[in-house]
Amino acid sequence: MTGRMIGATGLLTAIVSIVFTLLVVAVSDMRESAEVLRHSRERLAAANLVERDIIDLETGVRGFVITREERYLEPWDATRFRFPADASELVRLADQPGQRSRARRVLEAGTSYIQGYAAPLVSDVRQGDASASSVEATEEGRRRVNALRRELDGFAAVERVAITASQERADADARQAIVAASVGFAGSIVLVVLFAGYLTRAIVGPVRRVAAMAGRLAGGDLSTRMSQTGVGEIGALERSFNSMAESLQRSRDGLRRINDEQAALRRVATIVAHGTSPDDVFAAVAKEVGLLLGAEATRLLRFEADGRATVMSGWTREGDPVPAGGRIAIGGTVAAIVRQSGQPARKTEQLSWVAGFLPGPGPYSAVGSPIMVEGKLWGAVTALSPHDRPMPQGADVRMGEFTGLVGTAIANTQARAELTASRARIVAAADQTRRQIERDLHDGIQQRLVSLTINLRAVEASVPPELPELRADMGELVGGLIGALEDLRETSRGIHPAILSEGGLGPALKTLARRSTIPVELDVEIAHRLSEPVEAAAYYVAAEALANAAKHAHASVARVEAGIRDGRLHLSVRDDGVGGADPVRGSGLIGLTDRVEAMGGSLEIISPSRQGTLLQVELPVEID
């Protein structure tokens, strides 16, 4: 049977190879014909383009000679510069010596027509030469153009013949390919039919039983088995199929377990990635662990310093609530082993009392896995199942994937809290430093400058009348000192405005509006003092927005609105400027965003191009 199969396969291979070779040859010939056809069409198109150029040249010159109107020379001027390139392209595309010679004659004759006839004729007409409009002059141009067109007609005729020949050759190759494919296909069909009849009689019968089993396996019935009654290769095939079914059944059970575990991990990881509160993560982990292990109940515990544990979350198969938030003793439980060793553990717990979330007393199979947060033992996840339905092997290790996610969620929450507190401390320290600098300037240098100004005015007043120059010099000194004092006051207000500390956010915003270089409309409804960090953040946001509106947005008016709603300060600054503000390009807006977010607020910038800019801020408030 093997020899016959090899012989039939060889014969079929030979037929297919011959047919394939004929097809390859035919396809190659067709590709060559198509390539020749494409080049001929390119040359024909180039010849048509050159002929159109010649017509444009003749039409332009003749129209100008007859009418003497310059507008007829517009196509002639454009074409006489384009013609050399178009004719040169025709020479390049011509691959036959005769065609190339004809194309070169067209190039030379066309160039001669432009330079030796058309250009001088146009020049003579412009100079008023009457002979330039004579019949002899126009007849010379017609003769040259007709000669050029005859050359192009000959060139096009040759290419049309080549196109026709290439098309006919391609059609012949296609017919040859069809005949070869048809003959090979018919021969292959005959051979396949004969060979199939032999295989049906010799092999198909015994294999049908195997095929039926394979169908049951494909339908999901991995418990099916077939009787091993065959001999030789058929018997080996039956044994192999039975072994394969057993292996598939074991693999499917393992794969199902892995898929369930990975799906549960993905669900918990998604909750952790979204920054959900730890309580939600605890509840999800308790539920997913219970469902995955087939447990009766699960609990997530946090170890306390007194040796007890706090129940953070729980789950039961029956859906009964698990008391959370209370402290429990863990002595004698699997949680105590986990706390002592810091490793996953398994234990049989003998419960003589009925917990509120368990069906009854008795022995329970218990497993536990530690929760580590930044390398330190934080707590554990425990699962209980009746002793007659013990936890599967490796359950304690499988729980470790979930406890790792719990540790990550707790660490992330702590890190976010610490980062928020740190940012708030940095902002508060910066504001405190600003206030200290402002006070130092006001109480120190500013007061000294005021005293110097008063003393200088007294000296100026005591200058004798007979010394007017000295009095003038003293006046200039007093004026310069007053200017320096004003600059210092302005700088002091920029560091930390005193009005913000003394009067609060409302008066500070009104002062900003008065000092703005553009008109500002105010709508401020703040009846109480707010915390210093919130007032400072809102003030600097408004100051930066107004400064940008005047300096960069070229706005004509701005509107500032501020009010308390739902326990949050809502501040908005809108201008009618050019828009297009980009926080990435301005360190001031980035700094304001950091300040606002450090207060637990949000800052949004809406700035479409040419539609103005809207800056909106929300800050949590605590009324002082």
Side-chain angles (χ1 to χ4, degrees), residues 222-239:
L222 300 184
S223 62
T224 183
R225 300 293 184 270
M226 64 185 305
S227 58
Q228 300 179 7
T229 58
V231 296
E233 291 87 348
I234 299 300
L237 181 62
E238 292 171 346
R239 291 189 294 273

Side-chain angles (χ1 to χ4, degrees), residues 424 427-428 431 435 530-538 595 599 619:
V427 171
D431 289 340
R435 286 192 295 270
L530 309 178
S531 62
E532 289 186 5
V534 171
E535 288 187 339
R595 175 186 283 270
M599 298 294 103
L619 288 164

Side-chain angles (χ1 to χ4, degrees), residues 81-421:
F81 295 109
R82 187 176 65 243
F83 174 79
D86 293 343
S88 298
E89 178 65 12
L90 181 62
V91 173
R92 186 187 68 81
L93 292 175
D95 54 359
Q96 296 179 2
Q99 291 291 81
R100 184 175 289 111
S101 297
R102 184 175 282 114
R104 286 174 179 164
R105 289 197 297 272
V106 170
L107 174 61
E108 294 170 357
T111 303
S112 176
Y113 171 79
I114 295 172
Q115 297 177 356
Y117 169 76
L121 182 63
V122 169
S123 178
D124 292 341
V125 172
R126 285 174 173 169
Q127 294 176 5
D129 189 351
S131 63
S133 303
S134 64
V135 175
E136 292 79 4
T138 55
E139 184 62 29
E140 173 66 17
R142 185 180 297 108
R143 182 185 62 78
R144 292 193 180 204
V145 168
N146 289 337
L148 279 169
R149 297 184 67 178
R150 283 195 297 273
E151 290 287 354
L152 288 172
D153 289 342
F155 186 94
V158 172
E159 294 303 329
R160 291 191 184 94
V161 171
I163 290 174
T164 302
S166 298
Q167 187 66 51
E168 292 176 352
R169 187 162 53 253
D171 294 340
D173 292 337
R175 289 192 295 272
Q176 181 181 353
I178 293 173
V179 170
S182 301
V183 172
F185 180 74
S188 300
I189 290 295
V190 172
L191 182 60
V192 168
V193 169
L194 295 176
F195 191 48
Y198 170 75
L199 291 178
T200 300
R201 185 177 65 255
I203 300 176
V204 172
V207 170
R208 282 179 177 173
R209 295 191 302 273
V210 178
M213 177 183 176
R216 291 192 294 273
L217 292 177
D221 184 10
L222 300 184
S223 62
T224 183
R225 300 293 184 270
M226 64 185 305
S227 58
Q228 300 179 7
T229 58
V231 296
E233 291 87 348
I234 299 300
L237 181 62
E238 292 171 346
R239 291 189 294 273
S240 297
F241 257 81
N242 287 337
S243 299
M244 181 183 68
E246 294 175 359
S247 177
L248 286 175
Q249 189 172 18
R250 291 193 300 268
S251 298
R252 184 183 64 177
D253 294 342
L255 184 60
R256 180 180 296 165
R257 177 181 60 81
I258 294 173
N259 286 338
D260 293 342
E261 183 175 345
Q262 292 300 316
L265 285 170
R266 282 195 299 271
R267 289 191 291 270
V268 176
T270 300
I271 296 175
V272 174
H274 288 168
T276 310
S277 67
D279 291 341
D280 293 335
V281 177
F282 297 158
V285 168
K287 177 181 178 180
E288 295 293 350
V289 169
L291 292 175
L292 183 65
L293 301 182
E296 191 68 30
T298 59
R299 289 190 298 187
L300 194 148
L301 308 174
R302 183 185 67 200
F303 295 144
E304 305 295 348
D306 60 359
R308 299 164 67 84
T310 300
V311 179
M312 305 303 296
S313 180
W315 172 89
T316 63
R317 177 172 296 278
E318 302 299 329
D320 297 329
V322 177
R327 292 195 175 189
I328 61 173
I330 60 173
T333 67
V334 71
I337 301 176
V338 172
R339 178 169 190 164
Q340 182 178 4
S341 64
Q343 300 292 328
R346 174 185 290 269
K347 185 180 188 298
T348 299
E349 296 183 6
Q350 185 69 38
L351 299 181
S352 58
W353 49 274
V354 179
F357 54 89
L358 292 176
Y364 281 86
S365 173
V367 295
S369 182
I371 299 174
M372 309 297 293
V373 178
E374 295 181 349
K376 297 180 181 179
L377 183 62
W378 183 88
V381 174
T382 62
L384 296 174
S385 183
H387 193 265
D388 58 352
R389 185 165 48 86
M391 291 290 182
Q393 292 296 323
D396 48 351
V397 177
R398 293 165 64 188
M399 292 170 65
E401 300 285 348
F402 293 91
T403 57
L405 290 173
V406 174
T408 300
I410 296 171
N412 289 345
T413 301
Q414 293 177 349
R416 284 195 296 269
E418 292 173 359
L419 177 60
T420 301

